[in-house]
Amino acid sequence: MSLLVLMNVSLFALLVATAIAVTRLRALYEATMLTALAGLLSASLFVSLDALDVAITEAAVGTGISTVLFLVALALTRSREAVTPPRKLWSGAAVALLLGATLVYASQDLPSFAEPDTPVQTHPVTETYLQDSQEDVGIPNTVAAVLASYRGYDTLGELVVIFTAGVTVPLLLMRTRRRTDRDGDEVRDEARANVMSEYRVLRVASKILMPFILIFAFYVLFHGDYGPGGGFQAGVIFAAGFVLYGLVFGIRSVERVLPWPAMLALLPAGVLLYAGLGIVNMALGGSFLDYGTLVPDHPKEGQHLGILVIETGVGITVAAVLIAVFYSFANRGARR
């Protein structure tokens, strides 16, 4: 057994053990921490499989943003799971066993692990993506070329889904409150922020890390054509910086930097930028999302410019949606 296979098997075994531990826990805060560990293990597996773009997203979302949102949601509900009736446990176990058996049966058609003659290695489309894309698109990062150029329509659809979630979640969490309730929530928020900010290590570390997080987000965005990264990853990392600052200094401090009206304006901005670029391509005589029309004499430069523009749009919407969701949870105050 090679070292790579041994590492993959070990990571997968730890992931399975973590999943089993999560199902056995009734303390929801501990289960949330183990869920974050599962996200970190998944990211490590993606790294070992050379899926670095997915690994960055999983580390930022599965381990970072999702954990924070779970903790904020638990602050609004309760810290322990309610007792489930036995009849529901049996029905849930039956569904889980049936689904697991179906997946195991379907996995019998998968090729052996690490075989060189798998369809993903021998299919003609592989050569198109890995080799022809360098001539058609001219982007060193094949993942960026596929997502932003070959399947630009699908990526636009995914961005619309993210935008829809960013609009729906705040609407679901919105409620009518009296002025006194809002004032009381602000007092409680400031009290929680003061408790967190009293820890000098947290206060100093967050202020030091904040600019580096934002700079790294811009690096991931603008370097996505050449290495792992892009708009999705950059947007998540950018939002993580604001979430970290809000956890330590309170939601009001973050809203002074990025108020709600500005957040609402940023939600559709990325989608409009993405779709607007396609309309510009059509106005210049090309097809929708045909970036080569941006620089007719040098189509590859046009591809590079177009991909950079839409990746920026993706990053804006992803960051705005995640920060808006965090705002929506944090502004509700603690309710037990």
Side-chain angles (χ1 to χ4, degrees):
M1 180 180 295
S2 65
L3 180 61
L4 179 61
V5 174
L6 179 61
M7 182 175 61
N8 287 334
V9 171
S10 301
L11 287 173
F12 184 74
L14 289 174
L15 184 60
V16 172
T18 304
I20 295 174
V22 170
T23 62
R24 301 289 297 175
L25 284 174
R26 292 296 177 265
L28 298 181
Y29 281 105
E30 287 82 348
T32 301
M33 292 299 100
L34 285 181
T35 303
L37 176 61
L40 183 61
L41 291 171
S42 299
S44 302
L45 274 172
F46 290 134
V47 170
S48 67
L49 297 174
D50 291 332
L52 298 180
D53 294 81
V54 184
I56 295 175
T57 306
E58 177 61 31
V61 177
T63 306
I65 297 293
S66 297
T67 302
V68 172
L69 294 180
F70 278 135
L71 292 176
V72 176
L74 290 178
L76 303 176
T77 54
R78 59 181 64 184
S79 60
R80 294 193 64 84
E81 181 181 355
V83 178
T84 305
R87 57 184 180 83
K88 291 187 177 181
L89 290 177
W90 285 109
S91 61
V95 172
L97 289 175
L98 178 61
L99 179 60
T102 303
L103 293 175
V104 171
Y105 174 76
S107 67
Q108 302 304 310
D109 292 333
L110 294 175
S112 300
F113 183 74
E115 288 293 327
D117 57 347
T118 57
V120 71
Q121 302 291 340
T122 59
H123 198 279
V125 75
T126 302
E127 181 179 356
T128 299
Y129 286 151
L130 295 180
Q131 299 181 14
D132 295 350
S133 65
Q134 300 302 313
E135 299 179 0
D136 297 338
V137 183
I139 298 299
N141 185 4
T142 304
V143 176
V146 172
L147 293 178
S149 184
Y150 286 116
R151 55 183 297 266
Y153 289 91
D154 296 337
T155 305
L156 177 59
E158 294 172 0
L159 189 62
V160 172
V161 171
I162 296 173
F163 165 72
T164 304
V167 173
T168 304
V169 172
L171 288 177
L172 290 175
L173 296 178
M174 186 183 298
R175 59 183 178 166
T176 303
R177 296 183 299 176
R178 297 193 306 270
R179 178 65 184 175
T180 54
D181 293 335
R182 291 198 298 269
D183 293 341
D185 285 343
E186 290 181 4
V187 171
R188 284 187 292 270
D189 177 76
E190 293 298 331
R192 289 193 297 271
N194 290 335
V195 171
M196 293 288 289
S197 61
E198 285 178 358
Y199 294 94
R200 182 174 300 178
V201 174
L202 292 178
R203 186 174 66 251
V204 174
S206 60
K207 285 188 175 182
I208 292 176
L209 289 175
M210 183 69 174
F212 289 100
I213 292 174
L214 300 183
I215 291 174
F216 182 65
F218 284 113
Y219 171 82
V220 170
L221 173 63
F222 295 117
H223 196 260
D225 295 348
Y226 303 96
F232 287 102
Q233 295 85 349
V236 173
I237 297 172
F238 194 86
F242 281 85
V243 171
L244 172 64
Y245 197 84
L247 289 176
V248 176
F249 296 98
I251 188 65
R252 305 304 171 196
S253 299
V254 183
E255 287 184 337
R256 283 194 288 267
V257 178
L258 189 62
W260 257 109
M263 179 61 58
L264 295 177
L266 288 175
L267 282 174
V271 179
L272 295 175
L273 181 62
Y274 198 134
L277 179 62
I279 296 175
V280 170
N281 295 145
M282 296 176 64
L284 294 175
S287 302
F288 188 72
L289 299 179
D290 179 14
Y291 316 126
T293 58
L294 297 176
V295 186
D297 297 333
H298 301 281
K300 288 185 179 180
E301 293 183 9
Q303 289 282 345
H304 181 86
L305 177 60
I307 290 176
L308 180 60
V309 171
I310 67 167
E311 291 284 8
T312 302
V314 170
I316 291 173
T317 293
V318 170
V321 165
L322 291 176
I323 298 175
V325 172
F326 174 68
Y327 278 10
S328 302
F329 275 100
N331 277 320
R332 286 178 63 90
R335 292 289 184 269
R336 294 288 181 180

